[in-house]
Amino acid sequence: MAKNQASNGSDPVTSDESTEETVSTVGKGAPTPTRKQQEAANKRPLVPGDRKEAAKAARAKSAEVRERARIGMANGEEKYLPMRDRGEQKRYVRDYVDARFSIGEFMIPVMFLVIILTFIPSPQVQTYGILALWAFFLIAVVDSVILGFTLTRKLAAKYGKDKVEKVRWYAAMRALQLRAMRLPKPQVKRFQFPS
C-alpha cells in the first residue's frame, strides 16, 4: 500500500487537508432561515418612530429639490425646463428675443399708465388713454408678427427648412413680457444676437 501511495505521489496527510478545504467551501455555512424569520427581517415600519421629525425632513428635502429646479429653470438648464422651452431651436429663439429690443416689453407699464389715466375725471383724457393703449397694442402685435417671420427665416437658414419647429407664438409671448420677468432668464445681453 505504501508503494501505491508512493506511486501516486500523494501524501495521506495532504490529501485529507485538501478534502477538508473543499468540504468547508462547499455550502453556505448557515442553515436556511424559516419563512417566519425571513418575513420578520423584511418588515419595516410603515410609520417612522418620530412622525413629526420624519415629516419635517421630507418637507425640507422636497423644498430643496424645488429650489434646485427653480434655479435650474431660471438659468436655462435643459433638464429643468418644461417641455415647451426645451430644445436647441427654442434656446435660439429665447436668445434672439432677449437680444432684440421689442415694443411689447412695455405693454405692462403702458397698461398701468392707462389705468392711472382712467382715474382722472376728464373723459377726454380717459378716451385718449384708451386709444393710446389700443394703438400701442396694435404696434406690439405687428412687431410680434415681424419677429415671427424673421425667426422662421433664420431658423430655416440655420437648421434646414424641413426641420424648423413652430416658434412664432413662443417668440411673441416672450417678446410681450418685461425682460426682467422672463423665464428662463435672459442669457444674452442686448444686441448680442445668436449666430
Side-chain angles (χ1 to χ4, degrees), residues 2 16 22 28-29 34 37 40 52 67-68 78 80 101-102 110 112 127 138 146-147 162 171 175 178 181-182 185 195:
D16 287 342
T22 310
K28 52 192 177 177
T34 63
Q37 290 171 336
K52 287 184 180 178
E67 181 64 15
R68 177 67 192 113
E78 194 74 17
Y80 294 112
F101 178 78
S102 300
V110 168
F112 186 70
T127 304
L138 184 65
I146 292 169
L147 171 66
D162 55 335
L178 281 169
M181 296 175 68
R182 293 175 183 165
K185 292 194 178 301
S195 57

Side-chain angles (χ1 to χ4, degrees), residues 10 19 37 48 52-53 59 61 69 75 101 117-118 124 126 142 145-146 148 155 157 172 184 190:
S10 61
T19 309
Q37 290 171 336
K52 287 184 180 178
E53 191 63 37
R59 279 195 304 272
K61 186 176 180 181
N75 293 334
F101 178 78
L117 288 176
T118 58
Q124 218 173 14
Q126 292 175 354
V142 170
V145 169
I146 292 169
L155 288 173
R190 290 273 192 202

Side-chain angles (χ1 to χ4, degrees), residues 59-97:
R59 279 195 304 272
K61 186 176 180 181
S62 65
E64 183 182 325
V65 169
R66 279 195 310 274
E67 181 64 15
R68 177 67 192 113
R70 187 189 66 76
I71 291 170
M73 185 179 146
N75 293 334
E77 293 178 34
E78 194 74 17
K79 68 178 182 176
Y80 294 112
L81 294 176
M83 288 306 295
R84 69 184 166 95
D85 293 324
R86 289 186 185 176
E88 196 175 330
Q89 292 186 33
K90 297 288 177 72
R91 178 177 289 280
Y92 183 91
V93 169
R94 287 195 304 271
D95 289 346
Y96 188 87
V97 171

